[in-house]
Amino acid sequence: MNSNDPTSSLAARILSAAANQLYIDGEWVASSSGEQLESINPATGETIAHVANGNAADVDRAVAAARRALHGPWRDTTPYERQAIILKLADLVDQHFDALCLLDSMDMGAPLSRLRANSRKRALGRLRFYAGMATAIHGNTIGNSAPGKVFTYTMREPIGVVAGIIPWNAPMTSAIWKIGPVLATGCTMVLKPAEQASLSCLMLAELMAQAGVPPGVVNVVTGVGEITGAALAGHPDVNKVAFTGSHAVGQSIVRASAGNLKRVSLELGGKSPDIVFADADLDKAVPGAAMGVFGNTGQVCCAGTRLFVERKIYDEFVQRVAQFGQQLRVGNGQDPDVEIGPLVSKDQLERVLDYIDIGRREGARTISGGERMTEGNLANGYFVRPTVFGDIEDGMRIATEEIFGPVVCAIPFDTIDEVEQRANATAFGLGSGVWTRDINKAQRLSRSLHAGSVWVNCYNLMDPAVPFGGYGLSGYGREGGVEHLDEYLQTKAVWINAT
Ligand code: NAI
Ligand code: MG
């Protein structure tokens, strides 16, 4: 089998059979809705598959399966057994890695070459990291004030049934960021992929079955957010929602969680500042800042979309970022030379073009880009030219709202006091960047920036061992690091009177 070629692999089966493929209790079943959704390749506008349009009854079935699995033999597996399952799954993901990347590329447009390069660490590496973490979960022994021989210790127990609701901008990676901690901690899950890009999640379900993940431990229900997502968020038998997506849906999930006081972790979007001082190594800062916002066609939660540049280098630097953007090879992500793919969908294309219009109407100056690309065979896809806006006022919508496209607002500043205050003048707080050779500036801003990550002389680096998450409207909870497992565990205190 050539796992690169979806027509001769497991991926082919997923592509052709996805319409009848909800993965519930270890079996592939059809949705009780009888309805289907189209999966569209955003580079061509072509329908590549149909997936099941799950409904609330499907969610009920999947949650019931997850609940049974939680109280079944899974409960008594040792950390070492769960570790072995995760490692087996990682080997299978490794074996089918190119096909998984290809499914994502076809489904949501990202360049295959970038997916292969990034997901090796961000998805596969992370799965192996969680395998290690499975055996590192432990409680404490605590001295206490009780008289006599009363012994106190804590146990870390799985939170229970998790709803994993993920977006489309990095499907395989996002799925693994939920699957890993679920398996490591002994939770169970219903995973709901985004309707725009479900295929790699279905393939992961098949690989989980092959890896020996017991039936019901991870279930996959495809469908639209307002139906399947909302049914999960409000479900009385779900103990936790792990959500990645827009802040508006994050807020609706918090509201829906109130009924049974679900635990919620939210990895939402942002309007991240990327700050370039005149003393920076500009040869590194130009590509760093440009890819920090154009990478994945700007569909990155921590994209550095507010590019603050010290005034004395502003014109030169912004021109260089614009040129860098214009030189990126934009096209069908399945073409090996392409660096920037299309936006995920027609909706997203319209949304981004709307923001570009809004920016112009607000008085921003288009330094480069600012239009759809329709040359040659780009015409049927959802391509937007990497766009740089100047003459930005802080209150403009393009400078305050998440666009989720290849659009950057370039903003001049004069002093560190000024940029510190303006960078923090946002309700979001996910990523932030600082480019400088001055350690004092770097340290000062690392402390004062209101964001879950600060990248100094780099941008958007990730590692399985490093926690990632937001401040403010960018959400709460952390993915990555030891902190990640805390989101899936609850603490029990045990008192034993041995007198
Ligand atoms: P979304 O937040 O609506 O979708 C993310 C996930 O939530 C999908 O699986 C969706 O089906 C589900 N969902 C939608 N409505 C739901 C509900 N009421 N209850 C439960 N689950 C629900 O994002 P969408 O509509 O795809 O994109 C719109 C904008 O959201 C983007 O332009 C971008 O600004 C932002 N976004 C941010 C992401 C991030 O990683 N921070 C990822 C995706 C979108
Ligand atoms: Mg939505």
Side-chain angles (χ1 to χ4, degrees):
M1 184 191 84
N2 174 2
S3 64
N4 229 335
D5 176 3
T7 58
S8 67
S9 68
L10 176 56
R13 208 173 89 211
I14 300 292
L15 278 166
S16 65
N20 294 314
Q21 291 193 326
L22 302 179
Y23 185 69
I24 298 179
D25 214 6
E27 299 196 354
W28 291 107
V29 296
S31 167
S32 52
S33 76
E35 293 167 9
Q36 302 176 358
L37 301 167
E38 281 185 328
S39 281
I40 291 169
N41 183 338
T44 61
E46 284 164 7
T47 301
I48 51 169
H50 288 86
V51 299
N53 188 8
N55 62 15
D58 299 321
V59 167
D60 279 343
R61 265 197 296 172
V63 171
R67 173 65 51 193
R68 278 194 304 278
L70 184 74
H71 300 297
W74 181 241
R75 188 191 170 93
D76 298 321
T77 50
T78 67
Y80 291 92
E81 287 166 331
R82 295 200 300 278
Q83 179 179 59
I85 290 174
I86 302 173
L87 288 173
K88 180 84 194 294
L89 177 61
D91 287 346
L92 287 163
V93 168
D94 198 358
Q95 198 182 317
H96 292 274
F97 187 71
D98 286 347
L100 284 160
C101 291
L102 183 58
L103 282 184
D104 272 356
S105 175
M106 290 168 71
D107 224 1
M108 52 68 69
L112 192 48
S113 53
R114 294 200 79 79
L115 282 174
R116 285 209 194 105
N118 288 341
S119 317
R120 205 151 260 295
K121 190 163 86 183
R122 293 189 176 192
L124 183 56
R126 202 165 275 240
L127 204 46
R128 294 199 165 113
F129 172 79
Y130 296 121
M133 293 303 289
T135 57
I137 297 166
H138 59 80
N140 291 315
T141 311
I142 306 168
N144 63 61
S145 56
K149 294 178 187 151
V150 178
F151 171 59
T152 325
Y153 62 95
T154 56
M155 290 165 60
R156 310 300 313 279
E157 298 193 324
I159 188 92
V161 175
V162 176
I165 304 179
I166 60 171
W168 39 260
N169 52 336
M172 165 177 43
T173 297
S174 302
I176 283 177
W177 287 26
K178 314 291 189 223
I179 291 167
V182 160
L183 297 179
T185 55
C187 288
T188 62
M189 175 162 71
V190 180
L191 179 66
K192 196 208 88 63
E195 48 272 47
Q196 297 86 345
S198 305
L199 298 171
S200 62
C201 284
L202 294 172
M203 181 144 162
L204 285 172
E206 178 63 36
L207 299 180
M208 283 189 275
Q210 292 181 20
V213 175
V217 169
V218 178
N219 308 273
V220 179
V221 176
T222 55
V224 299
E226 294 73 10
I227 308 289
T228 46
L232 280 166
H235 204 290
D237 224 15
V238 167
N239 303 107
K240 175 201 160 73
V241 183
F243 176 73
T244 306
S246 63
H247 86 272
V249 172
Q251 288 167 325
S252 83
I253 282 173
V254 172
R255 283 190 289 271
S257 72
N260 67 337
L261 292 179
K262 287 178 187 66
R263 278 259 292 272
V264 177
S265 54
L266 301 170
E267 204 274 89
L268 310 177
K271 198 72 190 175
S272 298
D274 198 4
I275 302 168
V276 185
F277 287 95
D279 65 18
D281 179 343
L282 300 188
D283 292 340
K284 293 204 174 90
V286 167
M291 289 314 286
V293 71
F294 299 139
N296 211 32
T297 325
Q299 302 166 122
V300 175
C301 48
C302 54
T305 48
R306 288 184 300 144
L307 181 59
F308 290 97
V309 185
E310 195 168 344
R311 196 177 304 274
K312 44 185 139 152
I313 57 160
Y314 179 82
D315 287 331
E316 179 205 341
F317 189 83
V318 172
Q319 276 309 325
R320 286 180 67 182
V321 169
Q323 267 163 21
F324 190 96
Q326 297 318 298
Q327 280 160 16
L328 288 167
R329 288 183 297 270
V330 179
N332 184 327
Q334 290 98 74
D335 171 342
D337 294 329
V338 158
E339 294 164 295
I340 301 288
L343 292 162
V344 68
S345 64
K346 192 156 178 291
D347 281 355
Q348 195 64 16
L349 172 73
E350 282 164 7
R351 200 184 141 91
V352 170
L353 292 175
D354 267 359
Y355 269 114
I356 289 174
D357 272 358
I358 290 167
R360 288 209 178 94
R361 274 187 273 121
E362 285 178 316
R365 174 169 54 97
T366 315
I367 294 172
S368 65
E371 62 195 353
R372 183 173 180 184
M373 298 175 79
T374 51
E375 301 91 286
N377 54 12
L378 301 187
N380 295 323
Y382 313 131
F383 296 93
V384 167
R385 207 176 293 289
T387 299
V388 180
F389 273 127
D391 295 347
I392 303 294
E393 303 285 335
D394 287 355
M396 286 179 178
R397 284 186 62 193
I398 56 163
T400 53
E401 297 176 18
E402 183 174 54
I403 299 175
F404 232 55
V407 181
V408 61
C409 291
I411 308 167
F413 71 90
D414 291 298
T415 67
I416 189 167
D417 290 343
E418 174 202 347
V419 76
E420 184 175 69
Q421 185 267 324
R422 290 171 78 190
N424 280 339
T426 169
F428 293 112
L430 192 59
S432 60
V434 181
W435 300 86
T436 179
R437 287 192 172 100
D438 180 342
I439 187 72
N440 296 310
K441 287 179 193 151
Q443 275 207 312
R444 172 172 162 183
L445 289 174
S446 313
R447 283 171 63 96
S448 61
L449 286 172
H450 182 83
S453 297
V454 184
W455 287 287
V456 178
N457 296 329
C458 56
Y459 203 83
N460 197 9
L461 295 188
M462 300 256 172
D463 190 275
V466 180
F468 177 78
Y471 283 21
L473 273 193
S474 295
Y476 44 75
R478 290 293 176 270
E479 297 195 303
V482 286
E483 287 88 344
H484 197 170
L485 295 190
D486 292 340
E487 309 289 339
Y488 292 76
L489 293 165
Q490 54 196 343
T491 301
K492 177 182 279 175
V494 181
W495 300 74
I496 296 185
N497 186 349
T499 52

